[in-house]
Amino acid sequence: MAEYVSSFPFSDGDIIKGYQIKKAFEPGGFAYAGKAVSSSGRNVFFKKYRRPGGSSPWQQGFIDYQNELKRRIQSDAMASKLCYEFIEFFDRSKPGGLVPKRAFYQVFEWVEGGSDLRKMLTDLEANPRAYDWNQRVVFSKVMVAGIHAIHKAGVIHTDLKPENFYLVPDSTISVKWKIRVIDMDFSILEGVKPPWIEHGDTCVGTRGYMSPEHVRKEIPTKASDVFTLGLILGELLGAGHPAMGAAGGMDNYDKNVLEGGIPSVEIQHPIERVSDLKFLNYVVNACLCPDASRRPTPEQLLKALNGVLNKFHDKTPGGALTPPPPPPPPPPPPSHNQRVELIASGHSLTAGISTKFGQRLLKTWGEDFEKFMSAEQFHLFKGDSGSWKVEHCADAKNTTYADGVPLKAPVDVRNGLVISLGKSGKCPITLNLK
């Protein structure tokens, strides 16, 4: 009976339509999932939806929508190649009783030894040499090609984030991994209103990767996927998630997204066959434009990454681009008795001599400071010129950030500089010169 009711999970050993559950995972927000084996012996990723449930007014609409999504992806050779394999969708229903008994299932390919783009970015944060520059460039191109393909197939992903690009190991290619687009449960079919929207729900998205359209609770478009691609390219090819460098960081994400307050992405190294890196930066940063009509298409973005885009807006490679803003004025010469004040959550300390700050000195400032900081997290010291500098302590377990950028080398202290931990910005401390 449990296999006919959406609210009941499956368990190890259960057999449902010939699929035997080998390992049930922790339930997600919308579905139960696990590893299963088919009657032919093939390992598969097995999924049973909790929501919509059998009594949901949009259950049948959701099933029809998913089957059309599967048809569109599988009908396009490139989309089918760059997305995970849809093996089978089916629903189980049982008549009788006061409450409808019905559950919807999906079966996808199972990949051994894979991981997602989030793990790759986490590995890079801990060790910049974990993946070489060529791998990062190839991953970026394949990621954009995947979204170009599903857009051509008439599908809008709507919930792009590093977790939804899966790395499949492949020792036969130079970069060692293939990328697949995954997690399209609540993707949108172009030209067909989603059934959950018709019944008052909003579109699925993830904070920190939402487009302006998401933030305004509008139905996302293809350009909405492009906005998120720009953010992820900032993580893969730039200095990190662009929003982390904005005023207020993630806490002010919605406002910055709507008002164009996301800082520019700057690609860190040259890319083969790209003769004009400034032009490529211009195209990548256009992805983050609040005006959806000003964003490039995935096809234009892919051409720019391959150095074959001839024009975008009124700009051409080698042509004049809008000059960058002037650099901030240099800080005033340091005085002999200048100190640094550290401020966080109503607490403050003042440093007058070289000091390594960490858990030992700051644990009384709150639980996060005790939990996430190492004994020696960052070092405040005076450089040869007498000005204050801050650097990350090499043995700290979490990366120190300065204004949302990993602190890989000492930087000058200035008024308002924010020191924090990791991309989520834990333990923010504002530094001011006194």
Side-chain angles (χ1 to χ4, degrees):
M1 180 65 70
E3 69 183 89
Y4 300 101
V5 184
S6 296
S7 59
F8 281 86
F10 47 70
S11 303
D12 295 359
D14 287 353
I15 299 177
I16 303 170
K17 202 186 176 187
Y19 295 97
Q20 184 175 25
I21 309 302
K22 291 297 185 183
K23 177 64 177 177
F25 304 149
E26 290 294 319
F30 292 98
Y32 301 106
K35 181 180 181 180
V37 62
S38 70
S39 56
S40 67
R42 181 184 182 182
N43 289 328
V44 297
F45 183 80
F46 194 81
K47 197 168 187 179
K48 175 185 180 181
Y49 277 83
R50 305 169 64 189
R51 182 171 180 268
S55 59
S56 170
W58 48 278
Q59 168 89 339
Q60 183 57 52
F62 181 77
I63 292 173
D64 295 341
Y65 207 80
Q66 289 291 295
N67 281 314
E68 173 60 13
L69 184 147
K70 176 176 179 286
R71 186 197 68 78
R72 291 190 185 191
I73 294 296
Q74 291 185 326
S75 297
D76 185 283
M78 188 58 69
S80 180
K81 178 181 178 181
L82 294 176
C83 293
Y84 54 7
E85 181 186 353
F86 298 83
I87 296 174
E88 182 180 13
F89 292 179
F90 63 91
D91 61 296
R92 311 285 277 170
S93 59
K94 194 173 185 67
L98 298 175
V99 179
K101 294 179 177 60
R102 191 177 190 187
F104 178 56
Y105 295 84
Q106 293 181 337
V107 185
F108 302 102
E109 66 177 316
W110 177 268
V111 179
E112 293 287 354
S115 64
D116 58 37
L117 197 59
R118 168 62 64 208
K119 183 179 184 304
M120 172 193 167
L121 292 170
T122 301
D123 291 345
L124 279 171
E125 186 178 337
N127 176 16
R129 297 181 180 179
Y131 295 83
D132 64 37
W133 180 246
N134 181 58
Q135 285 178 302
R136 294 161 69 174
V137 170
V138 172
F139 292 164
S140 299
K141 292 178 180 180
V142 177
M143 176 182 73
V144 175
I147 302 309
H148 174 45
I150 71 168
H151 282 188
K152 281 184 63 182
V155 176
I156 303 161
H157 192 288
T158 80
D159 191 23
L160 294 178
K161 53 188 173 182
E163 289 84 348
N164 287 342
F165 291 97
Y166 201 77
L167 301 181
V168 181
D170 187 343
S171 60
T172 67
I173 57 178
S174 61
V175 293
K176 304 304 181 186
W177 304 88
K178 295 184 293 189
I179 287 190
R180 300 275 180 85
V181 183
I182 67 169
D183 204 5
M184 301 172 71
D185 311 52
F186 287 87
S187 292
I188 293 175
L189 301 174
E190 187 177 22
V192 184
K193 190 173 184 179
W196 55 92
I197 297 294
E198 291 181 350
H199 287 84
D201 279 11
T202 57
C203 283
V204 172
T206 300
R207 181 167 175 76
Y209 292 96
M210 288 186 176
S211 68
E213 299 77 62
H214 275 100
V215 173
R216 291 193 294 264
K217 300 191 183 305
E218 300 168 359
I219 296 179
T221 64
K222 290 178 178 178
S224 307
D225 281 350
V226 171
F227 185 93
T228 307
L229 282 177
L231 296 174
I232 301 173
L233 286 174
E235 294 183 272
L236 264 174
L237 303 179
H241 194 302
M244 292 300 295
M250 285 297 179
D251 291 338
N252 209 28
Y253 180 83
D254 290 1
K255 182 175 185 294
N256 287 326
V257 163
L258 293 174
E259 297 179 0
I262 302 296
S264 296
V265 173
E266 183 174 351
I267 294 174
Q268 299 292 289
H269 304 288
I271 293 176
E272 187 178 2
R273 293 193 295 275
V274 175
S275 60
D276 190 342
L277 204 56
K278 288 184 179 180
F279 178 73
L280 175 57
N281 277 326
Y282 178 80
V283 178
V284 169
N285 283 296
C287 296
L288 304 179
C289 183
D291 180 355
S293 68
R294 299 287 293 171
R295 299 173 203 155
T297 64
E299 182 179 18
Q300 290 173 318
L301 187 56
L302 184 59
K303 286 183 175 180
L305 287 166
N306 283 308
V308 294
L309 185 66
N310 295 321
K311 185 175 181 180
F312 181 67
H313 295 160
D314 58 343
K315 307 294 190 297
T316 58
L321 299 179
T322 304
S335 67
H336 179 70
N337 295 321
Q338 193 176 52
R339 297 167 177 263
V340 178
E341 183 179 22
L342 297 81
I343 304 170
S345 305
H347 302 278
S348 69
L349 280 175
T350 301
I353 59 173
S354 173
T355 306
K356 291 185 177 180
F357 287 88
Q359 186 188 86
R360 293 191 187 108
L361 289 176
L362 303 176
K363 63 182 180 180
T364 60
W365 283 17
E367 181 181 349
D368 280 358
F369 289 86
E370 186 171 8
K371 181 177 179 182
F372 296 106
M373 276 203 165
S374 297
E376 294 181 348
Q377 183 69 43
F378 61 90
H379 182 203
L380 278 173
F381 65 98
K382 285 189 177 181
D384 294 339
S385 66
S387 60
W388 281 96
K389 294 181 177 292
V390 59
E391 65 180 353
H392 172 72
C393 292
D395 293 333
K397 62 183 179 181
N398 290 315
T399 302
T400 305
Y401 278 62
D403 282 346
V405 178
L407 194 53
K408 297 179 181 178
V411 299
D412 291 326
V413 173
R414 54 174 175 76
N415 287 332
L417 181 69
V418 176
I419 300 299
S420 60
L421 302 187
K423 292 184 178 181
S424 58
K426 294 186 182 298
C427 309
I429 301 171
T430 301
L431 304 183
N432 287 318
L433 297 167
K434 299 180 65 175

